[in-house]
Amino acid sequence: NPEPIVVVRNLVLRDVKTLSSPKHVKVVFNADGRDVAAVGFGWGEHRGRLEIGQPYDVAFHLRLKEWNGFESIEYRLVDMRLS
């Protein structure tokens, strides 16, 4: 079965950072006053085209992440476009 894709509309881009490899980015969106962080593997080449403060429609894969004994949901970018 294909992995489900979750789409959220009108997320405002608040921050973009390069991860340890310039091929990957971490993006932070604001949704109704709450920050939502996502990882974009292979998205480094798009970094210069992402506009802070603009609303985006964003597609994610959701993954359960375990680190240091803690579990959390990791959002992984699939696609995004200006709203």
Side-chain angles (χ1 to χ4, degrees):
N1 292 335
E3 192 172 359
I5 295 174
V6 175
V7 175
V8 182
R9 299 189 190 283
N10 296 311
L11 293 177
V12 176
L13 184 63
R14 196 175 69 71
D15 194 20
V16 180
K17 293 181 181 174
T18 301
L19 295 178
S20 57
S21 166
K23 294 179 183 178
H24 312 306
V25 296
K26 178 180 179 180
V27 293
V28 179
F29 298 98
N30 189 276
D32 296 325
R34 284 196 285 181
D35 285 346
V36 176
V39 177
F41 293 107
W43 278 75
E45 64 189 49
H46 302 289
R47 187 172 194 258
R49 290 180 264 164
L50 302 178
E51 299 177 45
I52 303 294
Q54 294 298 312
Y56 285 86
D57 297 334
V58 186
F60 302 102
H61 285 297
L62 302 178
R63 299 269 171 90
L64 182 62
K65 179 181 175 181
E66 288 187 50
W67 185 78
N68 243 3
F70 294 95
E71 290 183 340
S72 62
I73 299 294
E74 180 178 70
Y75 296 81
R76 291 194 180 178
L77 284 178
V78 173
D79 202 3
M80 58 190 281
R81 68 176 185 195
L82 284 168
S83 292

